[in-house]
Amino acid sequence: MTSIQKILLALLLVLLIAVPPFLGLGWQNALINVLISSLFALAFNLLNGQAGLLSFGHAAYFGVGAFAALHLMIAVEDGLFFPTPLLPLAGGLAGLVVGVVAGYFSTMRSGVYFALVTLAIAELFHSLAPHLEGTFGGEAGVSSMRMPWMGFGFGTIIEVYYLTLGWVVLCGLALWAYTRTPFGRLTLALRDNEQRVKFLGYNAHYAKVIVFAVSAMMTGVAGALLAISNETANYSLFSGSVSAQVVLQTFVGGSTVFFGPVIGATVFTLFSFLISDLTRSWLFYQGLIFVLVMLYAPTGIGGVIDHHIRNRRQLDLAKIGGPYLVALGGGILIAAGTVFLTESAEVLFGQDYAMARDGASGGFPAYDLFGLSWSPLNPVTWLVPLVLLCGGVFILIRARRVIDRLWARKDEATTADMTVGAGGKE
């Protein structure tokens, strides 16, 4: 970890500690969800990014951790002495136990077969949970209450926030330390060349089981934190959408960078918090973001940032900053045109507009969007998004050509310096 990365992380931690008390309850709750999603994504990326094992069913260990914490909370309500801040240990233990069993069988296969087995395990939990009322509470789920401990009532959102922050920081540091150990290096070797690991005398299967179990354990802690925050959980935690969400967050954030999944989790969680109340098409926008990142930035947002940090000494910010701003402007125009078309389609194909058409005897009445009235039969209505999209694409293409030339010059200069250095050594 570079000095710049350490400084940025320290500043981020200071902000996470100092700012939340001055925010509203909605933002405090959103930040709790950001922290939980970040830990979930980091745990998932230990398996995917470090070991190269893509799991489509990590919701199983997230849900198991949540229910384990809730059952322990119920026991504490009934008189069992157990510190409330340590409740996530129950989720971690449950995730570890289930992860060892599931990981043993899952890691017998690799590639797409491994992914399908993990998906099947999660769907097994999702199918059985509604019928196991004693464990998962049936359709209603399981509920409990946070009990006070050592003068802390844990009845306010800010107290839960700091409890969550403490656990996420602790688990994040533990995962980071894991990647720096010899076994963490072996995990990378499993991803790059499993056959070579076997030739070196290591049991690749057992090694993958250990990685799987550690990932499931940390995922269980994240699930427990969610249960503590919401004080309830139901079988929907085992659904495929929960597993899919962490996959999207990890790849958009960048699976090749340790803290990349945190970026993806933050972006998607805050995006849903801010946009879901504004439009019913927010899931479409979320999917569109994923597609665009995979097409044009396969290493994710974190990978792009890390690439710029590594090459900061060779970049001429005075020259490249302008084209980046121009490209950003083009992207904003494209986004505006896309939003206009999407929201217009949502209105025109919606039930309310169908009723308005019936009232207009089958005609196409005007509709309101962005504080203005638009007529579907008026060419200007569709000319506006067309101009925005075409103009944005034109600007973006021109800016990208300039950016590509600047990066090519940087690469040529770097190659020339390496050649000169090698010649000097000879």
Side-chain angles (χ1 to χ4, degrees), residues 33 37 241-242 244-245 248-249 264-291 338-339 342-343 346:
N33 292 330
S37 299
S241 61
V242 177
Q245 190 69 18
L248 296 181
Q249 292 172 354
T266 302
V267 168
F268 274 155
T269 305
L270 291 182
F271 184 86
S272 63
F273 171 68
L274 295 172
I275 306 300
S276 59
D277 290 336
L278 299 178
T279 174
R280 289 176 292 181
S281 302
W282 67 276
L283 284 174
F284 168 78
Y285 295 126
Q286 194 177 80
L288 186 60
I289 291 172
F290 174 75
V291 171
T338 302
V339 169
T342 302
E343 297 304 312
E346 180 183 329

Side-chain angles (χ1 to χ4, degrees), residues 190-208:
L190 283 171
R191 179 193 66 187
D192 296 335
N193 195 326
E194 184 178 337
Q195 292 298 325
R196 180 170 295 180
V197 171
K198 293 179 180 179
F199 291 151
L200 291 174
Y202 294 100
N203 190 315
H205 180 219
Y206 285 166
K208 289 191 289 186

Side-chain angles (χ1 to χ4, degrees), residues 323 325-331 333 390-400:
L325 290 176
V326 173
L328 177 61
L333 291 178
C390 293
V393 170
F394 176 78
I395 292 173
L396 195 58
I397 290 176
R398 294 294 297 270
R400 184 173 179 178

Side-chain angles (χ1 to χ4, degrees), residues 26-101:
W27 271 100
Q28 290 177 0
N29 189 65
L31 289 178
I32 291 174
N33 292 330
V34 167
L35 291 172
I36 294 172
S37 299
S38 298
L39 179 57
F40 189 9
L42 281 174
F44 170 80
N45 198 48
L46 177 67
L47 189 64
N48 175 70
Q50 297 289 319
L53 299 171
L54 177 59
S55 170
F56 283 155
H58 241 51
Y61 320 106
F62 189 71
V64 164
F67 282 105
L70 282 170
H71 283 293
L72 181 55
M73 290 168 67
I74 293 173
V76 173
E77 282 188 76
D78 294 336
L80 175 68
F81 175 77
F82 194 89
T84 298
L86 299 182
L87 286 173
L89 290 176
L93 179 60
L96 177 64
V97 173
V98 176
V100 168
V101 178

